[in-house]
Amino acid sequence: MTKRTRTTLFFLLGAVFLLGAPAIILYSQGYRMDWQKPWFSQVGAFYFTVNPTPAEVFIEGKLIGRTARFVGTTLTKNFSPGVYHIRIQKDGYHTWEKNLEIFPKQVTEIKRIILLPRDPAFVLLKDNVQAFWLAPNKTEAILQKSNLQTGGKNTWTLVFWDMQKNVEYPLYESSHSQDEIQRVQWAPNSNSFLFHITSQEHIRSYVQQIDRGLLGRQNTVEKSLGVAAQMRDEHILDAFLQDATAFLENGQQLLWLDQEGILWRQNGKDTQPIQLNQTPLDLQQETFYAIHALGSEFFIQKNQILYMLNQQTQTFEEFFTPFDEMVLSPDEKKIAISNGREIWLYFLKADQEQPSRTKGERVFLTRFSEDVKSLAWFGAHYLLFARGDTIIISEIDNRDRLNMVELAPFSRPALFWQEAAKTLLVYTRDQIRI
């Protein structure tokens, strides 16, 4: 090799180094050429968590990979800042789609994506059910079942139903065809429930204890009813509760709204009542009032107006109107609220997951032309409800569009999601389907 050739090669390689070194440094720092600008920009990434798995992940129509078989996650890197169309699909399931933005040096997270099955089959589990009250443990329930007697007189039986074993234990049998159940309220530990019966224009209240071992040893209806009677006590309200505008018994916690508009709380009968609001709530005659306690917050419903207690000022403030129903999420961070045709979220606690939320933030989710009923949580990041006669499951991540699936049609369905068993119970037309 001649000296001139070596010199030329030296300067050529030097030029390549001077030009390539910055590019290598920029690449190592997360910079990529953005050909739309054109200029260098720092890249970001997408992180997905999907159930069930494996599922295919498409970005801008291109298959970029599949979620891990066991943990259902995937991380995709080196995306220039901008908005991308994401599609996640799996055979036999509804497709999940959303437009999401990538930011420099950040990971855009989409966690807890649930792919819902197409055309799920619902199997008849119980029939002849007049009413249905699911226990807090979500594995047991109280059923009201009709007893057709001779002469056309209908009575009914309250039945304790172990859903895991699919076994029924009769607890209480009505004595008159005119007897009506006003309310059934489970204790938080699922070991007892309170029920009120109107019989011959009188209201009687009972607390029924549940001894599963003792009930399981009874082999006839008569023995089960006899044992249940021994575990049942008449519940007599204190005089101040009989005069209260509204009251709520929640395990050991007792809440009541007196006739002066003051809400009181008592944790156990041997403790002193605590006055919760200093400014009385304005009460009106012939008005419906109800007390709601969700998480550490207290609400009073006045017809279709919902008031929330400001615990700093000890004053009830108008919170939501019109109000229809609300339900606390399993993680107790947020409340889903329906006003009939709209669904909102209210965050009781800050949530740092994307999209991040602050404490006290309200989020409008969606609006329908039909009434929304039987609002429930499907895990902590999806909602379950009936829109007219159609069961709907919707995510609550409102970045771009909501992924919403029409699951199945039923007549006036009441919905109950069992998180541990991952099963959906539908109560419709005196039947329970799963």
Side-chain angles (χ1 to χ4, degrees):
M1 183 181 297
T2 64
K3 182 177 180 181
R4 182 177 181 179
T5 302
R6 290 197 300 270
T7 303
T8 303
L9 185 60
F10 174 78
F11 283 108
L12 179 61
L13 293 175
V16 170
F17 174 79
L18 292 174
L19 292 173
I24 294 172
I25 294 172
L26 288 171
Y27 188 90
S28 67
Q29 295 297 316
Y31 286 88
R32 301 293 185 273
M33 174 61 75
D34 187 345
W35 298 104
Q36 294 181 348
K37 292 187 178 180
W39 192 244
F40 289 99
S41 60
Q42 287 188 296
V43 295
F46 285 113
Y47 179 78
F48 305 98
T49 303
V50 184
N51 185 41
T53 190
E56 297 177 328
V57 179
F58 293 81
I59 298 181
E60 293 297 311
K62 181 180 178 181
L63 178 64
I64 55 93
R66 293 172 175 83
T67 57
R69 181 172 296 275
F70 296 106
V71 294
T73 61
T74 185
L75 176 67
T76 61
K77 302 178 181 179
N78 299 330
F79 288 93
S80 298
V83 177
Y84 294 83
H85 179 73
I86 313 298
R87 186 175 82 250
I88 300 177
Q89 63 187 41
K90 181 178 176 65
D91 289 343
Y93 292 82
H94 290 274
T95 299
W96 184 96
E97 295 184 82
K98 195 180 285 285
N99 292 313
L100 291 168
E101 189 170 0
I102 283 287
F103 299 94
K105 299 178 64 176
Q106 294 186 25
V107 177
T108 299
E109 297 178 341
I110 312 94
K111 295 182 178 179
R112 298 177 179 84
I113 297 172
I114 299 177
L115 301 181
L116 298 165
R118 296 182 181 273
D119 304 318
F122 285 84
V123 179
L124 178 63
L125 203 57
K126 293 289 179 183
D127 59 6
N128 189 34
V129 178
Q130 293 180 293
F132 174 63
W133 297 274
L134 188 65
N137 61 21
K138 303 296 179 69
T139 62
E140 298 165 330
I142 297 299
L143 308 179
Q144 181 187 8
K145 306 190 75 173
S146 61
N147 307 319
L148 183 60
Q149 298 180 343
T150 57
K153 294 183 178 180
N154 289 328
T155 58
W156 46 263
T157 301
L158 279 186
V159 174
F160 173 68
W161 178 32
D162 184 331
M163 287 184 278
Q164 293 179 323
K165 299 178 181 178
N166 198 19
V167 177
E168 297 180 4
Y169 304 99
L171 300 177
Y172 179 91
E173 192 172 58
S174 66
S175 53
H176 302 90
S177 58
Q178 296 84 6
D179 290 356
E180 295 183 1
I181 296 181
Q182 297 297 321
R183 186 176 59 153
V184 170
Q185 183 179 344
W186 279 95
N189 60 11
S190 300
N191 289 329
S192 65
F193 65 92
L194 172 69
F195 65 104
H196 307 277
I197 296 175
T198 300
S199 179
Q200 298 178 335
E201 299 183 354
H202 296 286
I203 298 179
R204 303 195 310 273
S205 300
Y206 299 95
V207 174
Q208 178 70 61
Q209 302 293 329
I210 302 293
D211 187 328
R212 295 162 181 81
L214 188 59
L215 286 172
R217 293 193 292 271
Q218 311 310 310
N219 54 13
T220 67
V221 171
E222 290 74 15
K223 288 182 178 180
S224 181
L225 289 171
V227 166
Q230 297 174 14
M231 296 185 291
R232 184 170 56 247
D233 297 314
E234 189 168 1
H235 182 67
I236 301 176
L237 291 177
D238 294 325
F240 67 89
L241 288 181
Q242 296 180 19
D243 295 332
T245 302
F247 69 91
L248 173 67
E249 294 179 274
N250 187 14
Q252 294 297 315
Q253 180 176 255
L254 178 63
L255 297 164
W256 69 95
L257 180 66
D258 67 20
Q259 296 184 1
E260 303 300 323
I262 300 297
L263 182 66
W264 297 84
R265 180 182 65 187
Q266 187 176 28
N267 296 320
K269 289 190 175 181
D270 296 331
T271 63
Q272 288 294 321
I274 300 172
Q275 182 177 338
L276 297 181
N277 59 313
Q278 294 298 324
T279 304
L281 184 70
D282 183 27
L283 302 183
Q284 298 176 351
Q285 296 293 327
E286 299 182 359
T287 302
F288 172 78
Y289 291 93
I291 300 170
H292 304 269
L294 299 180
S296 59
E297 304 293 342
F298 301 98
F299 304 85
I300 291 180
Q301 180 182 353
K302 179 180 178 181
N303 286 340
Q304 287 190 302
I305 303 175
L306 187 67
Y307 295 88
M308 181 178 181
L309 178 64
N310 185 324
Q311 299 191 32
Q312 292 183 337
T313 64
Q314 296 183 313
T315 303
F316 276 99
E317 301 172 351
E318 187 173 318
F319 176 68
F320 206 86
T321 185
F323 166 75
D324 188 63
E325 59 181 327
M326 64 179 176
V327 59
L328 180 67
S329 64
D331 59 10
E332 298 189 353
K333 289 184 177 181
K334 47 199 173 284
I335 301 171
I337 306 171
S338 166
N339 66 2
R341 298 194 173 186
E342 295 178 347
I343 298 178
W344 293 71
L345 296 179
Y346 178 78
F347 283 80
L348 301 173
K349 302 175 183 177
D351 192 344
Q352 300 304 319
E353 287 192 6
Q354 296 181 22
S356 62
R357 306 294 186 186
T358 59
K359 180 180 179 180
E361 183 176 353
R362 299 189 192 205
V363 177
F364 170 75
L365 281 186
T366 189
R367 179 183 295 110
F368 298 99
S369 59
E370 298 176 274
D371 287 340
V372 172
K373 296 293 183 183
S374 198
L375 185 64
W377 283 94
F378 184 77
H381 298 86
Y382 280 73
L383 287 173
L384 174 70
F385 53 91
R387 185 198 64 199
D389 288 340
T390 303
I391 299 176
I392 304 288
I393 295 180
S394 172
E395 66 177 352
I396 63 170
D397 185 340
N398 65 343
R399 289 177 289 182
D400 190 39
R401 60 185 288 271
L402 288 175
N403 280 274
M404 195 176 298
V405 169
E406 294 185 359
L407 202 62
F410 284 100
S411 175
R412 302 177 63 184
L415 311 174
F416 307 90
W417 171 247
Q418 297 176 288
E419 180 65 29
K422 304 297 182 186
T423 55
L424 172 61
L425 297 177
V426 181
Y427 175 57
T428 174
R429 292 185 179 275
D430 296 339
Q431 296 179 337
I432 298 176
R433 293 182 176 270
I434 188 170

